[in-house]
Structures are given as C-alpha cells and as structure tokens.
Amino acid sequence: MNGNAHPSIDHGLRGLKLERSVTPAQLRLTRPIGKIHEDHVTVKKITCLGSGFVGGPTSAVTAYKSNVEVTVVDINEQRIHAWQSEHLPIYEPGLQEIVYAARDGITAAFDDHTSEPLLESKGSLLSVIPSARVSARGKLFFSTEIEKAIEEADLIFVCVNTPTKSTGVGKGAAADLGFVENATRTIARVAKTDKIVVEKSTVPCKTAESIRAILSENARPGVRFNVLSNPEFLAEGTAIRDLLHPDRVIIGSMPTAEGYSAAASLVDVYSQWVPKERIITMNLWSSELCKLAANAMLAQRISSVNALSAICEVTGADVDEVSYACGLDSRIGPQMLKAGPGFGGSCFQKDIFNIVYLSESLNLNEVADFWRVIITMNEHQKDRFTRRIISCLFNNLTNKRIAVLGFAFKKDTSDTRESPAITLVSNFVAEQAHVAIYDPKVTEQQIWRELVDYGGSLEKLKLNVEVTQSAYAACEGADAVVVVTEWDEFSNKTKLDEQVVLSEIDPNQSISPKRFDKPREAHLPSPGKTGFENKTGGVTTARDFQLTVKSLAAEVGRLDWARIAQGMRKPRFVFDGRNMLDHQKLEDLGFRVEAIGKASRKAKESGN
C-alpha cells in the first residue's frame, strides 16, 4: 500500500473493479520491455495544468495511490475554490471520496456498528463523516499559482482543453491547440530546471513534435525537457474505476536514451498501483493516435447499433435482443452496444472530426469519408427520434408540454457536452412545444448555457423552456415524457432486473463481475468453495463477491410512475430513449410507450 491509500477505502471501492483479460505487454510493445527499467529520475512532485474532467480525477487518484505530491493548477479561480471545498465542480461516482482522502488526509469512514465503510444512498461508495479518521496532511493540492507549481514540479501533466476549431482553417473539424501551446510556452518560460512534460490532453497525431519544438526553442540556458504522450482513457461515469483499474496505461516517448528514461520515470509513478504488464510503452506518434483511434472505434459501435435500431423499429425485431445476441460473440463483446438517442460527451465527436481532418490533410479522402459517416449516423439518430415523437403526438407539438428527463450525455456524470438532450430540446422548441427539463446532477445555469450555445436566445428560450427541481414537477401536466439520460432514479425496474451482475467463474482465473443490460442469472461459486485466487494472487471470497454485488446495486430513490401518470394529460406518452424502463409496467398504468429500436405501438396494433 502506498501514500494515503488505505485498506478501508480500497475495500469500499472494490465495487468499481472489473477484472479484464489483457494480451501480455511483451507481445505488443514497440520496444523491449526492459526499456521501462532505464536509469531515470524519481518523480516526487507532479503539477497538473488544468482542473477539468481529466485533470481533476487523474490527479486525485495519482495522489491517493502513489507517494507523489500532486498540485492541480488552473487560471479559473472559481473552479479551484470548488476543488478546495466540499462541493466539487464535477460529479463522478467515487471522486468525492478519493479527493477527500488525498486532499484532506481522511483515510477511512466507518459505520460505528459494523466497522464497514458506509454507503451513501445514491451510489457514492463512502460517506465521509465527522467520525472519519484523519491522517497526516494530504498530498493533493489545488492552486492558481501556476508558475510556482511549474517550478516545483519534476513532471507536468498537460490536461488543458482541446476543443474543435470554430473559425478559420479546419473549422468544425480540426482541434484548437491554442490552450496546449499557451501551456507549453508558459512551461518553457518559467522552468529553471529539467522537466518531464506529459501530454494528456487528446491531441492530433504529431502534436508532441510541436510541443518539443516550442520547448527547445524557448527554454532557459541549460534546461532540458523530455516530452511524453500519456493519453487518458476515462469514461465519464466510471472514471474513478478506470483510473484505479485501467485496461492499459499508454506511455509514448522518443526512441532515445533520454526518452526511455523519461518514460521509465512515469512508469514508476503508475506502477505503484497498476500492474506493469498493463503499462505499455511505445513511440510518441503511436501513443497520440491510440486515443483518437479508441474513441472513434467506440463511437462506431454506438452508431452501428443505432443504425440497427432503425431497422428493428420497421421490421419488428428488438434491438436489445439483437445487440445482446451479437455481444455474446467473444469477437464482438457486449460493451457499447446499447441503442440510444445518439452519443455525446466531449470526446467522441471531437476525436472523430480530428481523424477526418487528419485523413483529409493526408489526402486519404476515402478514409475520411468512412469516419465521417459515424457522425452522420449519430445526428440522424437524434433527428429520427425527434420525428418519431412528433408523429406519435399527432404530428403537432404546439403548446404541448414535453417533460425531458435527463440532460447529461449519460448517467453518473454532470457533463452535458454534445448531449443528445441539447438537440432534442432545441427541436421541441422549434416545434413550439413547452419543454420542462429535469436532471439530478446538471445545474440550471449549465442547461441554459448549452441551449444558448446551440443557437438559441436565452430570452426566447425561457418562453418555452423551464428547468425544474424534480422529475414530478417536470412531468406535471405533461403530454409526453422523454427519457434522455439513463439515471437510475428514472427506472421502474426491480433491482434484480436492473442491476444484473453476471459472475463469470473461470476455475483457472478469477471472479469477474460485470454489468449486462440484458437480465441474466448470476452464477455463484459452487457449494463448498470459500474463495479462489484472483489475478493478483489474493483470494476473492464469497463475502467479497457479496460486497461487490451490494456496491453495484446501491440503493437509489426511484420515481413513482403511478404518481407521474396521475398528473399527466391523456393520452400519456413515454418515449424511452434508453430502453431502461419496464414497458409492460408502464402500459399497465395507462401509458403509451415508444422506445428506440422497438416496433411502434401503431405497428404492433396493425400486426406489422
């Protein structure tokens, strides 16, 4: 155990862990595995430039799991103050507990009666309470003193924003690297000693070449910089799990003695909690392209299943059954095969556009066309869902009240960037509907900002849109409810139906609890077995497994759909954009239910 890491917190976070099968690193390296053991500098202090969705969680977990001090800096004073407070600027399951532990030195919070970590009611893993024990001062700091933090650091994470360009050459496709360049020039100007500069922001391939040029041309006499690429592979909603138990850690460096040495320094940091076989070293350009490629391929899966959902709605096939059957193929797997209203978030669309722009710049037009279709399909899915809603509501939304449940692009995050809800709400407003929005984690200010940025006038939007403090308020008097984000509290399924855990028992390996969208029985260990070895050589006991299941199925407050039905106008419509509801139960309450990838009510009644 290293740093502030404490068995009690690790015990409470066990529910976030999913074992994964990984090809041995030796078979995939572009350089000998021994290169990660080159003579190198021991990193004692890290500075992270940027306190957003990447910088904040990454720094918190690094400080918590290692013996390194981490300082997160940002020019945004308000955001830094939020990180220093009890009300963090972003929501992510498990993040609050990790930050408290790493920042404040809180090492455990126990139930006085059971001595077990407390579970909060809405999915958090530990309740940090006054009786929690406090150790020595924490190792995670937040500051606006950027130059001071740069000077003190051995290694610098660059986690600044890289939005898509909105003007000029490459508008709408190329990445805007202005923040990356500003950060690089600041490092070069301030640093008085050698630094390892780590590119963690998602950037186009060959960006490290520009960073190296700026640093070398502007460095103080005698100061040397080594540039690494270390892309993040975090999925919002599971970021803490992804950081604690990553599939892989990619570190790219120049193929030189100095490059190998710098990579080895970063390997030392990660290896304090990540098995070395999951730390993959490669060249800078491969590392940069890895992130873009991974996101593009994940988005491709979503657009593929969404394309199939359109076929299902016409033919009477069920997209959940089709995707489930396809996911059982070991070559395909079940992840990212859930049909919905379209993908969102800060990465998928931006990274695909980066690949499109890169391909066109290299005169690879057919390659660019291939990746561009994924975006086209994503936009089509949002428009198709809108048209279906309009059609079911008798081709008229004028003065009808539409309750939109969820505004984040997916559950367990407060991120709204590129959320399908933005397009859907804007479409409803264009049809003269009155829209009531509720999201449990997204602020009203953030919702207005997204709708205005999409092209609306705040004054005009407020004539047709309201943001409510509860789902019941949004649904009161509504003609239709549209479920856009799959928050657990919206579900009307039982715990057994919804929080399905499949325990795959491999006698030669380990228990591997996984969530599946399709209900399936959990296969528990055979009678008489008290435990079996896991991949780290420990034993996963029956009690450990019960705690994992308990954590995955944490209690959440659920909507009373009967109450919602009583307050709506008839006919009552529910449009399930996430296929997360028990449709039969809703129909028994008098709702007309329409869902993505399932035959419409009209088609069912006509027998088509």
Side-chain angles (χ1 to χ4, degrees):
M1 189 67 61
N2 295 292
N4 282 349
H6 190 281
S8 299
I9 293 182
D10 280 347
H11 179 73
L13 293 171
R14 185 180 292 116
L16 292 178
K17 182 176 181 180
L18 297 180
E19 295 293 345
R20 302 172 176 91
S21 176
V22 179
T23 302
Q26 297 92 321
L27 303 183
R28 297 182 290 151
L29 290 174
T30 57
R31 59 187 58 157
I33 193 168
K35 290 297 181 182
I36 67 174
H37 302 299
E38 292 281 316
D39 290 338
H40 57 275
V41 171
T42 298
V43 175
K44 297 179 180 179
K45 289 187 177 183
I46 291 176
T47 287
C48 177
L49 304 183
S51 62
F53 279 94
V54 175
T58 298
S59 298
V61 170
T62 301
Y64 168 63
K65 293 296 288 185
S66 75
N67 56 15
V68 178
E69 283 193 3
V70 183
T71 300
V72 183
V73 294
D74 203 302
I75 59 174
N76 187 327
E77 291 187 15
Q78 184 178 3
R79 179 174 283 265
I80 290 297
H81 288 327
W83 279 112
Q84 293 169 336
S85 73
E86 295 181 2
H87 305 287
L88 305 186
I90 62 175
Y91 171 75
E92 189 71 36
L95 175 61
Q96 177 176 289
E97 294 75 22
I98 292 289
V99 169
Y100 284 1
R103 185 192 69 189
D104 305 330
I106 296 174
T107 56
F110 293 102
D111 184 298
D112 292 335
H113 300 291
T114 65
S115 296
E116 292 185 0
L118 295 176
L119 297 177
E120 287 185 345
S121 63
K122 290 192 176 182
S124 284
L125 304 171
L126 291 169
S127 293
V128 180
I129 55 175
S131 61
R133 291 206 300 267
V134 179
S135 67
R137 74 183 185 96
K139 296 189 281 80
L140 175 66
F141 308 94
F142 296 93
S143 174
T144 56
E145 297 183 73
I146 297 173
E147 295 188 4
K148 180 175 183 289
I150 289 173
E151 177 53 35
E152 293 178 349
D154 303 306
L155 182 148
I156 300 169
F157 283 152
V158 178
C159 298
V160 297
N161 193 19
T162 54
T164 301
K165 290 185 69 174
S166 57
T167 60
V169 177
K171 173 184 176 181
D176 184 344
L177 300 178
F179 295 115
V180 172
E181 182 172 341
N182 288 342
T184 303
R185 290 186 179 278
T186 300
I187 293 170
R189 175 173 57 83
V190 171
K192 299 175 183 176
T193 57
D194 295 354
K195 308 290 181 187
I196 299 172
V197 178
V198 181
E199 171 193 82
K200 288 194 74 70
S201 300
T202 303
V203 294
C205 192
K206 304 293 280 189
T207 299
E209 190 170 68
S210 301
I211 293 175
R212 293 179 67 244
I214 292 171
L215 290 173
S216 63
E217 292 291 331
N218 294 277
R220 292 170 182 258
V223 176
R224 298 182 64 83
F225 295 99
N226 278 293
V227 177
L228 302 177
S229 169
N230 175 218
E232 52 82 16
F233 295 96
L234 309 182
E236 290 178 46
T238 59
I240 299 303
R241 182 193 68 186
D242 298 337
L243 287 162
L244 290 171
H245 308 285
D247 289 319
R248 75 287 200 200
V249 173
I250 303 296
I251 300 174
S253 72
M254 292 298 292
T256 63
E258 284 189 337
Y260 295 151
S261 176
S265 293
L266 187 53
V267 167
D268 266 4
V269 174
Y270 282 115
S271 63
Q272 293 180 59
W273 77 93
V274 179
K276 279 193 174 179
E277 63 268 18
R278 294 194 180 184
I279 303 174
I280 313 301
T281 58
M282 57 182 63
N283 75 50
L284 275 170
W285 327 128
S286 297
S287 177
E288 288 179 330
L289 189 56
C290 276
K291 175 61 186 298
L292 298 178
N295 279 344
M297 295 178 78
L298 292 172
Q300 181 187 24
R301 287 172 69 93
I302 296 173
S303 281
S304 293
V305 76
N306 281 342
L308 289 170
S309 74
I311 298 174
C312 290
E313 290 171 20
V314 177
T315 62
D318 186 315
V319 72
D320 280 345
E321 294 176 344
V322 172
S323 62
Y324 178 65
C326 291
L328 292 176
D329 189 322
S330 61
R331 298 167 300 175
I332 299 173
Q335 301 299 318
M336 309 298 282
L337 288 181
K338 186 70 175 174
F343 58 74
S346 64
C347 292
F348 283 0
Q349 180 167 297
K350 180 183 70 174
D351 291 353
I352 292 173
F353 278 139
N354 272 335
I355 290 182
V356 169
Y357 185 72
L358 174 64
S359 301
E360 290 177 337
S361 300
L362 299 172
N363 294 317
L364 301 173
N365 295 323
E366 292 81 6
V367 175
D369 290 341
F370 172 82
W371 292 111
R372 188 182 288 109
V373 168
I374 297 171
I375 300 296
T376 302
M377 185 64 231
N378 195 53
E379 294 304 310
H380 174 67
Q381 185 75 348
K382 289 180 277 190
D383 291 341
R384 201 172 64 77
F385 192 37
T386 300
R387 292 197 301 271
R388 183 171 180 182
I389 292 169
I390 294 172
S391 175
C392 289
L393 291 175
F394 316 110
N395 293 308
N396 174 37
L397 297 189
T398 302
N399 293 327
K400 290 181 179 177
R401 183 177 175 88
I402 310 296
V404 172
L405 298 187
F407 201 83
F409 82 91
K410 67 175 182 178
K411 75 172 187 176
D412 291 338
T413 181
S414 57
D415 195 352
T416 57
R417 287 173 290 183
E418 306 296 341
S419 172
I422 301 169
T423 302
L424 294 172
V425 169
S426 299
N427 289 344
F428 299 153
V429 171
E431 294 291 328
Q432 301 300 310
H434 293 289
V435 185
I437 304 168
Y438 168 71
D439 189 287
K441 294 297 180 182
V442 180
T443 66
E444 180 174 351
Q445 180 184 13
Q446 190 172 347
I447 291 173
W448 292 124
R449 184 169 61 248
E450 291 285 10
L451 293 175
V452 169
D453 288 347
Y454 189 78
S457 159
L458 182 60
E459 184 178 353
K460 291 182 179 179
L461 282 168
K462 288 193 172 183
L463 296 176
N464 289 78
V465 179
E466 66 175 291
V467 179
T468 68
Q469 299 304 306
S470 74
Y472 298 114
C475 296
E476 184 65 31
D479 295 271
V481 177
V482 182
V483 178
V484 183
T485 310
E486 69 280 23
W487 288 105
D488 290 341
E489 70 178 75
F490 300 156
S491 177
N492 66 336
K493 292 183 178 180
T494 64
K495 203 77 73 201
L496 182 62
D497 289 333
E498 187 177 48
Q499 301 288 358
V500 177
V501 178
L502 173 64
S503 171
E504 298 176 333
I505 308 288
D506 182 345
N508 298 318
Q509 295 193 31
S510 65
I511 292 183
S512 179
K514 295 183 179 179
R515 291 191 197 195
F516 281 80
D517 291 311
K518 187 73 175 179
R520 189 170 176 178
E521 289 184 4
H523 301 281
L524 295 175
S526 57
K529 285 193 176 183
T530 58
F532 30 96
E533 287 190 0
N534 60 33
K535 291 183 180 178
T536 59
V539 173
T540 302
T541 65
R543 174 170 173 74
D544 287 336
F545 180 64
Q546 290 168 0
L547 287 169
T548 299
V549 173
K550 179 180 178 183
S551 181
L552 288 174
E555 286 288 340
V556 293
R558 300 299 174 91
L559 289 185
D560 181 350
W561 281 89
R563 175 181 168 184
I564 290 176
Q566 291 174 355
M568 289 180 63
R569 299 207 314 169
K570 296 181 181 179
R572 311 179 188 98
F573 283 91
V574 172
F575 296 93
D576 186 359
R578 296 290 184 169
N579 285 326
M580 63 173 293
L581 303 173
D582 186 318
H583 298 165
Q584 186 59 55
K585 288 180 180 178
L586 291 178
E587 290 175 353
D588 291 344
L589 291 172
F591 287 102
R592 295 189 179 190
V593 183
E594 302 285 336
I596 284 179
K598 300 177 189 291
S600 69
R601 177 188 177 92
K602 189 181 296 184
K604 291 177 183 176
E605 290 175 347
S606 65
N608 295 329

